[in-house]
Amino acid sequence: MSGTQLTVTLSGGGADDARAVVRALEGTFGAPDELPADENATVHTATFDGEGQTGPAGGGGEGSGRLSAPVTVTVQGSPEAVRRASDTLTRAFTARDDGAASGDQEQERELLLEP
């Protein structure tokens, strides 16, 4: 996994909620591989391979949209990518940090985003 690659897994809410979360991350990581689209899916994923703006101004996020239901988001990648994603999502949504796990080369963090 490269330093800028981030995998995002979302559960809860619908496809519109998943798209709102993914769009909030675009300013920080660039466009994802694809936007969540399956209206019947209970879990959505997106992978970001590029890099958007860096630093505090690159956060995007603010005003990214409203959620219709709570969404559990798991972000996985390098420690720096996970930190940037967590920071972006906590600025864009009401978020509760549900913990992190670290491996040798990557980290995983779970957030609960609330409407």
Side-chain angles (χ1 to χ4, degrees):
M1 181 172 282
S2 77
T4 59
Q5 186 176 34
L6 182 77
T7 301
V8 181
T9 306
L10 308 105
S11 60
D16 287 340
D17 295 318
R19 285 188 289 268
V21 173
V22 169
R23 285 189 181 110
L25 293 167
E26 286 180 335
T28 303
F29 294 97
D33 54 355
E34 62 183 289
L35 285 173
D38 185 351
E39 296 294 332
N40 297 317
T42 58
V43 175
H44 299 276
T45 60
T47 301
F48 295 86
D49 289 319
E51 186 169 342
Q53 299 175 349
T54 58
E62 292 86 359
S64 296
R66 300 273 180 220
L67 300 176
S68 67
V71 176
T72 299
V73 179
T74 303
V75 291
Q76 181 180 13
S78 70
E80 175 65 13
V82 169
R83 183 195 61 76
R84 289 172 54 206
S86 297
D87 290 350
T88 299
L89 292 174
T90 56
R91 281 194 309 271
F93 302 99
T94 301
R96 181 181 79 204
D97 187 338
D98 280 349
S102 296
D104 288 342
Q105 302 294 319
E106 62 184 35
Q107 188 175 60
E108 181 176 293
R109 178 168 302 281
E110 186 171 290
L111 300 169
L112 176 65
L113 307 181
E114 298 176 351

